[in-house]
């Protein structure tokens, strides 16, 4: 039996090549609106939210408020919806998706007072989700995204430094005029606000139009039925 030659201790080279292959990326798109448009959308949104909350008492510490989910149907949010409609086609092209008919399925405002948080969640039955930040403040200007690969939590060895490759949570800092768009399956959360001022954001969901008619059919094709010779 021929034995493999041992590694030469005098020559540290033992491989011809090596590589790290990234797989299954989870992407978050971050857009910063220009100042004039940001101010216009903010003024429209704040006025509309004030009207929706007109009959409600001020939020107590630790409390949050969410609006109805049909804000995209109101004229007050037409500029924001127009921005969403500019962003989504580019994302679909980037992902090389061969179907570009989509619609906003929901849009709602969230207001968080000091101490209020948003637990980890995702947005089922949609393809993309997003959030636009109307008012942020120091201590109320981040969102957490959580690793969607559940199996990675089975073994949790200690790490000497958090990196993009070993963390199970990514904290994204935002500001007034920031828009984030991400896969609707991606779990996210908001830490308790440390600001005395209200944090105000507007969330939205995106789904393919006529999904059942065009996209929900099986991806596989049935095999051709066997035929008899000379039939």
């Amino acid at each position: 039996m021929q034995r493999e030659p041992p590694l030469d201790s005098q020559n540290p080279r033992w491989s011809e090549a090596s590589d790290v292959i990234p797989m299954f990326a989870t992407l978050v798109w971050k857009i910063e609106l220009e100042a004039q448009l940001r101010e216009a959308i903010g003024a429209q949104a704040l006025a509309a939210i004030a009207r929706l909350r007109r009959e409600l008492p001020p939020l107590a510490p630790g409390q949050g408020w969410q609006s109805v989910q049909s804000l995209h149907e109101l004229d007050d949010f037409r500029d924001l919806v127009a921005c969403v409609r500019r962003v989504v086609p580019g994302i679909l092209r980037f992902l090389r998706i061969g179907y570009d008919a989509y619609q906003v399925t929901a849009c709602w405002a969230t207001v968080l007072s000091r101490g209020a948080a948003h637990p980890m969640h995702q947005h089922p039955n949609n393809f993309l989700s997003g959030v636009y930040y109307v008012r942020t403040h120091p201590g109320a200007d981040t969102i957490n995204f959580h690793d969607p690969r559940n199996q990675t939590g089975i073994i949790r060895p200690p790490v000497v430094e958090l990196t993009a490759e070993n963390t199970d949570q990514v904290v994204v800092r935002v500001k007034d005029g920031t828009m984030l768009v991400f896969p609707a399956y991606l779990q996210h959360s908001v830490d308790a606000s440390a600001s005395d001022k209200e944090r105000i954001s507007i969330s939205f969901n995106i789904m393919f139009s006529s999904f059942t008619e065009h996209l929900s059919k099986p991806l596989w094709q049935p095999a051709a039925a066997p035929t008899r010779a000379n039939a």
Side-chain angles (χ1 to χ4, degrees):
M1 179 182 296
Q2 184 177 4
R3 299 181 61 184
E4 295 292 332
L7 292 175
D8 186 352
S9 60
Q10 303 301 317
N11 183 5
R13 176 171 177 171
W14 60 275
S15 65
E16 291 187 352
S18 67
D19 198 1
V20 176
I21 304 174
M23 294 185 180
F24 313 121
T26 301
L27 305 176
V28 176
W29 287 264
K30 184 177 184 181
I31 303 97
E32 304 289 354
L33 269 58
E34 61 90 19
Q36 186 174 357
L37 181 57
R38 179 185 69 231
E39 293 302 322
I41 290 176
Q44 294 166 356
L46 291 173
I49 292 170
R51 289 196 302 271
L52 292 171
R53 298 175 62 193
R54 184 167 46 203
E55 305 299 328
L56 301 176
L59 292 175
Q63 287 186 333
W65 172 86
Q66 285 189 329
S67 73
V68 295
Q69 297 188 355
S70 55
L71 298 186
H72 57 294
E73 300 174 357
L74 303 180
D75 285 343
D76 303 273
F77 297 91
R78 63 183 181 276
D79 289 341
L80 177 59
V81 172
C83 292
V84 173
R85 296 194 181 281
R86 283 176 173 264
V87 169
V88 171
I91 292 175
L92 298 181
R93 288 194 299 269
F94 179 88
L95 296 174
R96 302 296 192 270
I97 290 174
Y99 184 81
D100 60 1
Y102 69 92
Q103 61 191 76
V104 179
T105 59
C107 179
W108 66 99
T110 300
V111 180
L112 299 180
S113 65
R114 183 179 184 87
H118 213 42
M120 186 168 65
H121 65 286
Q122 73 262 30
H123 300 180
N125 296 328
N126 290 283
F127 183 69
L128 295 172
S129 292
V131 58
Y132 176 76
Y133 293 90
V134 179
R135 287 292 180 268
T136 62
H137 313 281
D141 57 354
T142 60
I143 180 173
N144 310 314
F145 291 101
H146 304 271
D147 191 342
R149 304 166 302 163
N150 294 333
Q151 296 301 313
T152 61
I154 291 178
I155 299 177
R156 300 290 298 275
V159 298
V160 296
E161 179 185 0
L162 284 176
T163 68
E165 290 71 37
N166 64 30
T167 188
D168 64 351
Q169 175 178 299
V170 175
V171 180
V172 176
R173 191 168 300 278
V174 297
K175 61 183 181 180
D176 296 3
T178 298
M179 179 184 292
L180 301 177
V181 183
F182 47 91
Y185 66 75
L186 184 59
Q187 292 187 316
H188 50 286
S189 64
V190 178
D191 292 334
S193 172
S195 173
D196 290 327
K197 299 179 180 179
E198 292 179 337
R199 167 192 172 121
I200 302 175
S201 60
I202 302 172
S203 300
F204 54 88
N205 289 328
I206 300 293
M207 186 55 181
F208 296 111
S209 302
S210 304
F211 179 79
T212 56
E213 290 86 346
H214 299 287
L215 298 179
S216 63
K217 298 177 181 179
L219 297 178
W220 53 267
Q221 296 295 327
T227 59
R228 285 186 174 183
N230 302 322

